[in-house]
Amino acid sequence: MDSKDISFVIPLLNEEESLPELVSRIRAVALGQGWTYEIIMVDDGSTDASWKVISSLAKEDANIHGIRFRRNYGKSAALHCGFDAACGHVVATLDADLQDAPEEIPDMYKMIVADGYDVVSGWKKHRKDNTFTKNIPSKLYNATARRVTGIKLHDMNCGIKVYAGEVVKNIEVYGEMHRYIPYLAKNAGFGKIGEKVVRHEKRKYGKSKFGLNRFVNGFLDLLSLSFTSKFSKKPMHFFGFTGILMFLAGFIMTVWIIAAKLIHQANGQPFRAVTDQPLFYLALLAVLLGTMLFLAGFICELISRSAQDRNHYNIKDRF
Ligand code: UDP
Ligand code: MG
């Protein structure tokens, strides 16, 4: 496969109206820069005429490629297949709804090739979306993501991003993890991650494909990613540690209950039956939870022992 200066990967679902303008603007940018390019349009199960539009655009320009899913799998799946097909030294992603401006890409491209960034994410500083459903929750979401991931981005889930080609070949976007690609990149050893303020437009056609539930799902995914990035190769360190804490708590409570009873008994004072005390049930619960955490740890160790990538490391140089 010929390698290109840049691959544009566009995930899309029912965006028939925007595609012609999007493609002509991308082409103008690429030609203006003198880049060799390809545009990979991934149709994520559209039910409108998107695929027809893509096919007719591709007839006029051999640099346009289309991938069409049989059904809607989600933006992450679309990006995954687009990344898989991309052959550019640099790979750019854009939403298909014209909210992202392709004209921003040359500056981001320079940050990759001249300044050595692995990933450059857009930052929709002046966001043209609904304040209550998008802007405010998004600020909260980004603050949480910054804390958990340690990546100082203002707009982690921005659709417009530019990557060094090597990055997209070394990460696997799955589930709904498209929100955290910079974190996936960081976990794969591509730690030079920058951002650039980008223009943002109102959605001209169609409607947003993501509702408010994306914040709940996004938060759960962040938890999973943070857990797997820390413990997937040593799950017992997590479960064993919390298990020990539980056991210890249970043990101390048990000793306390028995000692209190014996002391009272020895002094001839009235004493309660062990099972009459709320603490007894807490102790029981703690010991049981401790045992279950250990069991979870052992099971996870068995799983991670047989994981295919248990000894996969990203080697940068060797001689
Ligand atoms: N998209 C997709 N598959 C989906 C949902 C969305 O490929 O299941 C595409 C969509 O067509 C658009 C991009 O992902 O190109 C971002 O979606 P959208 O504009 O709806 O998100 P928002 O800007 O509202 O966050
Ligand atoms: Mg959009």
Side-chain angles (χ1 to χ4, degrees), residues 238-254:
F238 174 79
F239 291 107
F241 180 70
T242 41
I244 287 172
L245 285 186
M246 279 291 167
F247 255 133
L248 214 61
F251 180 73
I252 293 169
M253 286 188 265
T254 311

Side-chain angles (χ1 to χ4, degrees), residues 89-129:
H89 289 301
V90 170
V91 175
T93 60
L94 286 157
D95 285 354
D97 54 2
L98 295 172
Q99 291 196 272
D100 301 327
E103 294 75 20
E104 302 283 357
I105 293 201
D107 284 344
M108 299 167 87
Y109 179 93
K110 276 188 206 103
M111 289 172 75
I112 301 278
V113 292
D115 306 336
Y117 280 95
D118 296 314
V119 180
V120 178
S121 176
W123 171 14
K124 307 183 287 282
K125 199 169 180 181
H126 305 289
R127 211 175 156 159
K128 302 283 167 48
D129 283 318

Side-chain angles (χ1 to χ4, degrees), residues 14-16 19 43 46-55:
N14 298 336
E15 310 279 8
E16 57 182 1
L19 299 178
D43 181 348
S46 294
T47 47
D48 66 357
S50 293
W51 183 251
K52 250 195 190 147
V53 176
I54 295 170
S55 312

Side-chain angles (χ1 to χ4, degrees), residues 119-285:
V119 180
V120 178
S121 176
W123 171 14
K124 307 183 287 282
K125 199 169 180 181
H126 305 289
R127 211 175 156 159
K128 302 283 167 48
D129 283 318
N130 184 311
T131 313
F132 288 105
T133 57
K134 292 239 170 189
N135 297 9
I136 295 173
S138 154
K139 288 218 164 77
L140 270 174
Y141 152 86
N142 275 298
T144 316
R146 270 198 298 278
R147 269 201 85 86
V148 175
T149 63
I151 303 172
K152 302 291 168 228
L153 288 181
H154 289 88
D155 193 2
M156 175 89 67
N157 185 19
C158 190
I160 182 165
K161 287 195 175 61
V162 181
Y163 306 86
E166 208 186 351
V167 176
V168 303
K169 300 293 179 189
N170 279 289
I171 56 174
E172 198 175 347
V173 193
Y174 64 98
E176 287 190 19
M177 295 304 179
H178 60 268
R179 298 191 177 94
Y180 300 108
I181 302 183
Y183 193 29
L184 297 178
K186 183 185 168 193
N187 290 339
F190 298 97
K192 193 160 179 197
I193 297 169
E195 70 183 346
K196 183 185 173 299
V197 175
V198 292
R199 260 191 292 153
H200 189 236
E201 307 291 340
K202 274 210 161 78
R203 213 183 218 284
K204 251 202 209 154
Y205 311 102
K207 54 178 193 293
S208 171
K209 312 296 183 298
F210 297 102
L212 270 178
N213 64 353
R214 75 193 188 286
F215 290 106
V216 181
N217 296 341
F219 178 69
L220 295 174
D221 283 345
L222 183 61
L223 279 185
S224 309
L225 265 189
S226 142
F227 175 77
T228 48
S229 79
K230 288 193 189 102
F231 297 110
S232 68
K233 294 211 163 108
K234 44 181 187 191
M236 196 54 167
H237 289 198
F238 174 79
F239 291 107
F241 180 70
T242 41
I244 287 172
L245 285 186
M246 279 291 167
F247 255 133
L248 214 61
F251 180 73
I252 293 169
M253 286 188 265
T254 311
V255 170
W256 175 268
I257 295 167
I258 294 174
K261 179 175 171 179
L262 289 179
I263 291 167
H264 281 114
Q265 211 170 12
N267 293 339
Q269 293 164 334
F271 56 87
R272 284 192 293 179
V274 163
T275 48
D276 271 354
Q277 307 177 43
L279 203 58
F280 167 77
Y281 295 98
L282 282 183
L284 199 64
L285 185 70

